[in-house]
Amino acid sequence: CRHPNYFGEMILWAGVTLAAVADSPLAPTDLFLASYAPFFVFFLLSFVSGVPLLEHSAEKRWGALPDYQAYKRQSRVIVCLPFPAS
């Protein structure tokens, strides 16, 4: 995947939220609100500040290279899986 650090960040915040919610004395409404954190991080990194900026910068820098275009076709953007995208 092209952005494994962002994938790790999303997994980290999901884990922190699960650990916090699992043994929490908070009211159900507060737990529901706390569960929005991983989705907010995913939204920010996927659509606002992380991936779009890096993808734009990489496209400007290496967009004309055939090897880079092949790399983009064969790799996922965020989610890291053990098999190729195509």
Side-chain angles (χ1 to χ4, degrees):
C1 69
R2 295 196 296 269
H3 305 287
N5 53 332
Y6 292 148
F7 180 66
E9 182 84 10
M10 291 172 198
I11 296 299
L12 172 94
W13 283 110
V16 167
T17 301
L18 285 175
V21 167
D23 189 32
S24 177
L26 294 174
T29 306
D30 296 332
L31 293 176
F32 180 72
L33 291 174
S35 68
Y36 275 115
F39 297 107
F40 184 65
V41 168
F42 174 79
F43 173 75
L44 285 179
L45 293 178
S46 298
F47 301 108
V48 180
S49 66
V51 172
L53 295 175
L54 285 177
E55 289 287 314
H56 179 72
S57 146
E59 193 63 36
K60 279 176 47 180
R61 189 170 187 181
W62 302 299
L65 299 175
D67 288 342
Y68 178 70
Q69 294 302 323
Y71 168 70
K72 278 179 58 173
R73 279 192 307 277
Q74 295 170 357
S75 63
R76 289 177 171 75
V77 178
I78 294 177
V79 178
C80 300
L81 296 173
F83 46 87
S86 301

